[in-house]
Amino acid sequence: MKKKTWIWAAAGVVAAGAITAFVLFNNSLGNNVEIESVIPAQEQTSANSGAAAANAPEAAGAAVTAEQLNGAWSVADTSKVYWSVTTSQETVNFVNPSVTGTWNVNLEDAAAMTGEGSIEMSALDSGNGQRDEHVKAADFLDAAQFPQSTFVVSSFSELPAEWTEGTAVPVQMQGTLTVKGIDKDVIFDSQVVYSGGQLMLSGTTTVTFADFGLTSPHNIVMETENDLEVRLELVLNK
């Protein structure tokens, strides 16, 4: 085979390898996790919904007493925390179902309320094992050395004295989010619903990779925004 033919053949192999690598990389991308809110969409009241409401364990719209709300609540094992990263192609969600925590509710004195929670970083899951392994590795989140991320509330906004079954109540939680051993003051803008003897809390805050000493991951194929959304979807039992 002539030298020129060898050159073209080698170039073809390199090009084929590059295309294959791109296809494999592109297939490893993609969002595989859909965020599930613990607070159902508020349904409009209609004449047709009367029978369903009558058959519910507690009719929507019933008054909720302070005795039902005040006290110590614990995060149930159906709770999840989501982390969302936006790339130049799409938003990729990570979910963490390994959540524990408490919330001591006091409607009469917001300053007396306390709350805290933690997640096991080894449980972080995007539905892509190769990607998850990279994110939890020593050069990024280092889940082996920093196995937990925590949030400790320093203050709650004042809660209303009167609640209604199934109706969302706004609440802000200000506190310290700790990831990879680094603290960041954040505010979670949240909604909480009392329904069927449980509290459902849905809240979000935005942080950056730099807040926790991380560099926004990017490569020649995609870019990643520096912002990260953290979303709490918590169910609490008394």
Side-chain angles (χ1 to χ4, degrees):
M1 185 178 292
K2 295 181 179 180
K3 183 177 180 181
K4 187 173 182 180
T5 304
W6 276 106
I7 292 174
W8 280 110
V13 171
V14 171
I19 292 171
T20 301
F22 174 80
V23 170
L24 290 174
F25 176 79
N26 199 49
N27 288 340
S28 72
L29 300 176
N31 180 49
N32 302 311
V33 174
E34 297 301 322
I35 295 176
E36 301 175 353
S37 177
V38 295
I39 299 179
Q42 300 295 307
E43 296 182 358
Q44 294 183 355
T45 303
S46 67
N48 294 330
S49 64
N55 293 327
E58 290 187 61
V64 183
T65 67
E67 183 179 2
Q68 289 174 289
L69 293 165
N70 287 341
W73 296 80
S74 297
V75 173
D77 58 10
T78 52
S79 301
K80 295 175 182 178
V81 173
Y82 296 90
W83 303 70
S84 297
V85 180
T86 300
T87 73
S88 54
Q89 296 189 3
E90 63 189 329
T91 296
V92 176
N93 301 319
F94 291 76
V95 62
N96 195 315
S98 183
V99 189
T100 58
T102 59
W103 182 14
N104 294 305
V105 176
N106 188 326
L107 297 187
E108 291 77 31
D109 185 2
M113 289 198 294
T114 60
E116 60 182 10
S118 66
I119 59 174
E120 297 294 330
M121 297 304 288
S122 61
L124 199 64
D125 181 18
S126 71
N128 183 308
Q130 184 176 7
R131 177 168 55 199
D132 298 341
E133 184 177 340
H134 170 69
V135 167
K136 290 182 278 191
D139 61 346
F140 205 68
L141 288 176
D142 198 357
Q145 184 174 351
F146 303 97
Q148 291 186 330
S149 292
T150 61
F151 176 61
V152 179
V153 183
S154 57
S155 66
F156 291 88
S157 61
E158 188 173 351
L159 295 174
E162 297 181 357
W163 289 41
T164 302
E165 175 87 13
T167 299
V169 172
V171 59
Q172 278 193 335
M173 302 184 297
Q174 183 171 350
T176 303
L177 180 63
T178 304
V179 178
K180 205 176 179 180
I182 299 174
D183 297 340
K184 170 66 177 177
D185 291 337
V186 299
I187 296 176
F188 277 94
D189 290 312
S190 311
Q191 289 189 321
V192 61
V193 168
Y194 178 91
S195 180
Q198 293 181 312
L199 287 178
M200 277 74 77
L201 184 145
S202 178
T204 61
T205 193
T206 300
V207 295
T208 68
F209 286 100
D211 287 335
F212 302 105
L214 303 171
T215 301
S216 173
H218 62 276
N219 50 54
I220 60 173
V221 178
M222 70 169 189
E223 295 182 353
T224 304
E225 292 183 6
N226 193 37
D227 286 349
L228 288 159
E229 182 183 81
V230 184
R231 183 175 183 127
L232 309 178
E233 294 295 342
L234 308 180
V235 177
L236 298 103
N237 296 318
K238 198 171 185 181

